[in-house]
Amino acid sequence: MSQADFGLIGLAVMGQNLVLNVESRGFTIAVFNRTTSVTDEFIAKHQGKKLVGSHTLEDFVKSLKRPRKIQIMVKSNAVTDSERDAVDAVIEQLIPLLEEDDIIIDGGNSFYKATERRDAYLAEKKLRFIGAGVSGGEEGARKGPSIMPGGPPSTWEVMKPIFESIAAKVDGEPCVIHIGPGGAGHYVKMIHNGIEYGDMQLICEAYNIFKHAGFTTDEMAAIFNDWNEGELLSYLIQITGKALEQKDAETGTPIVELIVDKAGQKGTGQWTLLNAAENAVVISTINAAVEARILSSQKKQRVAASAELKGPAVNITVSKADLVKKVHDALYASKIISYAQGLDLIKTMGEKKNWGLDLGRIAAIWRGGCIIRARFLNRITDAYRGNPGLVNLMLDPFFKDVLGRTQQNWREVVSLATLSGIPAPAFSASLGYYDSYRAARLPANLLQAQRDFFGAHTYERTDKPEGQFFHTDWPEVIG
Ligand code: 2AM
């Protein structure tokens, strides 16, 4: 009896919430989980809903209308072209059961190269494949995530009604578009996660400066709550305010003060760095964010070093009100830099792969559902709508103006943090990028001299046409 409109494999929390989301939009949905008791419990818990549970993949596949649309939501961890993970295992089990033109959707956090491999493999089997990045965590999955699907346009057209109905909506527009072919969707999701790392670290640096300046946790909560009313309005600022307000049930202490300062990470930030290196794109803010998590995890070494390595005493002389304003501006400016870098990477990769990416529409689907949802994404969409060929987000008139008016405060925050020995690696990396990017002349002339000196790598001259290379007979250095 083929009755289900959609099928989902993998009933962990994200999978369960997506199922409930799909069902709530009027679709009948078939579900399967490797451990069958999980399926039974899920079905029992949601009596009366349009769910079809199966104990075998055969029955699950039979329960679906053709062309079958099956979303896989299982753990993905293959990070090379050759590695195989649970997504591959499920695909292998599905292949003999499916028929031409059936669609498999991988909605996990798969590495885009694995998605490209699966796309090619399933095309050989005459099956259709969509690699979809899904952002928004558990709540987003239930109420409406931001979805970044990659695959052939014709397959997207089949999936569009379901994806659009389950995605978050902003101003009536669903937070899903066809990103591009093959691995484009998972790629954009990966960079989205890198950007998320940057946003989170920048907020943490703001918090750390306030903490060193003697603000109480409640004062800081009030600052973030207030910022969430203005140009920084975003989910991450909102949850930061709420997290700072939260008290431990037993002791009444703010819970953040009881949480150990060792950050975890699942890998998408590191993948983003590797991809930036492969493409020679600077993403120094995201880089600083990933490295900050790494250093935070080396807690034992830091505690030992704190007794050994000297630094200055904290010396912040500006008033609290002024500091709040200055840190606000440093955060806003650095956030713009982080997005400028992340979008530069997406643009570079999109051009290399010929993905035909639309940066403005990508920013638009990040406005709702996902972790980086923020008011200022509207401005990014406007920037690319106004100028689809925009070379760098910083050059858009709106952002150019913000960087111009915030930079004095931004510089002061970086210097006061530096002079007080408060680490602000993402704030300062962002500022370093801004100043390097806007420098008509960098000290790379000397660098080229050094390269030519030791390796005869040659250099171009300012007084000769581009493309002509010169070498100097440098003096011999002994010893
Ligand atoms: P399980 O309940 O049987 O463990 C997150 O781990 C989800 O992915 C769970 O639903 C889990 O199923 C599923 N999963 C993990 N590895 C899997 C595999 N090799 N095959 C099928 N499902 C898998």
Side-chain angles (χ1 to χ4, degrees):
M1 194 187 18
S2 313
Q3 47 168 330
D5 305 297
F6 190 72
L8 189 137
I9 299 174
L11 291 174
V13 184
M14 283 287 282
Q16 291 198 9
N17 283 356
L18 268 177
V19 169
L20 297 174
N21 182 357
V22 174
E23 197 275 344
S24 73
R25 315 286 166 177
F27 299 101
T28 297
I29 176 161
V31 294
F32 177 83
N33 194 73
R34 177 181 59 181
T35 308
T36 53
S37 58
V38 175
T39 312
D40 294 342
E41 282 160 26
F42 181 68
I43 297 283
K45 195 171 157 199
H46 298 284
Q47 291 283 341
K49 290 203 159 81
K50 300 175 291 301
L51 304 174
V52 185
S54 298
H55 279 180
T56 65
L57 266 184
E58 286 79 358
D59 288 346
F60 166 80
V61 167
K62 276 189 208 145
S63 72
L64 285 155
K65 287 183 199 156
R66 294 206 57 209
R68 301 181 181 92
K69 304 164 197 74
I70 300 172
Q71 181 146 335
I72 303 174
M73 293 298 290
V74 301
K75 265 207 176 80
S76 49
N77 47 20
V79 293
T80 65
D81 298 353
S82 53
E83 244 176 304
R84 297 290 184 271
D85 63 16
V87 178
D88 295 294
V90 173
I91 287 175
E92 284 306 327
Q93 291 163 39
L94 279 174
I95 287 172
L97 306 175
L98 298 183
E99 292 167 273
E100 199 166 322
D101 280 346
D102 283 349
I103 301 170
I104 296 178
I105 303 127
D106 172 16
N109 243 342
S110 290
F111 188 50
Y112 76 94
K113 286 187 184 173
T115 302
E116 288 177 338
R117 167 172 57 74
R118 290 168 189 146
D119 182 53
Y121 177 64
L122 287 168
E124 273 172 35
K125 308 272 177 199
K126 303 246 182 309
L127 293 171
R128 298 191 277 181
F129 184 59
I130 293 268
V134 179
S135 174
E138 295 169 8
E139 195 197 336
R142 177 67 186 87
K143 295 183 183 160
S146 174
I147 312 176
M148 292 153 257
S154 56
T155 313
W156 154 251
E157 286 303 326
V158 181
M159 290 310 305
K160 193 174 162 182
I162 296 180
F163 279 158
E164 288 194 342
S165 75
I166 64 172
K169 311 284 180 307
V170 175
D171 302 335
E173 283 176 44
C175 291
V176 57
I177 55 161
H178 177 231
I179 299 284
H186 273 134
Y187 177 79
V188 167
K189 171 63 175 26
M190 173 179 89
I191 307 302
H192 159 286
N193 283 24
I195 290 174
E196 179 183 312
Y197 273 56
D199 276 354
M200 293 169 76
Q201 174 63 19
L202 291 170
I203 290 172
C204 290
E205 291 183 12
Y207 155 77
N208 202 27
I209 291 170
F210 290 142
K211 205 171 131 185
H212 280 86
F215 287 67
T216 66
T217 308
D218 284 339
E219 281 174 319
M220 292 189 267
I223 294 166
F224 285 100
N225 290 340
D226 184 49
W227 285 357
N228 199 43
E229 306 285 319
E231 47 200 354
L232 288 176
L233 182 148
S234 60
Y235 173 70
L236 283 168
I237 293 282
Q238 184 189 12
I239 66 163
T240 300
K242 294 267 169 282
L244 290 166
E245 276 174 7
Q246 189 76 30
K247 306 288 188 289
D248 175 50
E250 268 176 46
T251 61
T253 312
I255 190 78
V256 286
E257 288 172 25
L258 299 173
I259 297 176
V260 176
D261 55 331
K262 277 163 67 171
Q265 49 187 328
K266 285 200 279 186
T268 41
Q270 280 154 323
W271 298 351
T272 306
L273 296 197
L274 288 171
N275 178 256
E278 272 171 28
N279 286 291
V281 173
V282 176
I283 53 161
S284 50
T285 312
I286 298 171
N287 198 342
V290 174
E291 291 180 347
R293 288 200 194 192
I294 296 169
L295 269 172
S296 82
S297 70
Q298 295 167 356
K299 172 89 175 167
K300 273 206 183 110
Q301 285 187 51
R302 289 190 289 112
V303 170
S306 69
E308 300 281 339
L309 302 176
K310 299 264 173 295
V314 171
N315 180 22
I316 298 173
T317 50
V318 293
S319 71
K320 280 190 167 179
D322 280 350
L323 187 65
V324 172
K325 172 75 184 121
K326 286 179 198 305
V327 173
H328 170 279
D329 285 1
L331 178 54
Y332 192 22
S334 302
K335 184 176 164 94
I336 292 170
I337 300 301
S338 182
Y339 280 71
Q341 295 175 346
L343 290 164
D344 185 22
L345 181 53
I346 293 179
K347 179 172 185 277
T348 305
M349 183 75 171
E351 284 166 3
K352 181 167 116 184
K353 293 280 217 175
N354 232 344
W355 278 339
L357 304 180
D358 182 332
L359 296 186
R361 293 186 74 211
I362 288 171
I365 64 161
W366 291 343
R367 288 178 305 160
C370 65
I371 306 294
I372 64 171
R373 59 187 185 259
R375 168 171 286 168
F376 100 131
L377 287 163
N378 269 324
R379 297 295 190 167
I380 298 184
T381 302
D382 291 347
Y384 286 100
R385 268 195 195 137
N387 178 8
L390 188 62
V391 173
N392 187 298
L393 186 68
M394 295 184 293
L395 299 171
D396 168 74
F398 174 83
F399 291 108
K400 196 163 58 176
D401 176 62
V402 176
L403 292 168
R405 73 176 156 81
T406 54
Q407 69 174 278
Q408 182 56 34
N409 284 341
W410 185 18
R411 290 179 194 286
E412 284 178 32
V413 168
V414 170
S415 43
L416 75 80
T418 307
L419 291 171
S420 287
I422 305 166
F427 279 170
S428 41
S430 308
L431 184 55
Y433 177 81
Y434 179 72
D435 281 337
S436 297
Y437 192 87
R438 64 180 196 85
R441 202 154 158 75
L442 286 169
N445 49 335
L446 177 59
L447 200 127
Q448 287 295 81
Q450 292 164 337
R451 294 181 68 236
D452 191 56
F453 201 121
F454 64 68
H457 292 299
T458 74
Y459 51 83
E460 290 172 297
R461 292 178 57 112
T462 55
D463 56 355
K464 294 281 183 335
E466 207 180 327
Q468 283 186 26
F469 291 87
F470 299 88
H471 168 65
T472 292
D473 282 325
W474 303 95
E476 226 174 278
V477 176
I478 297 152

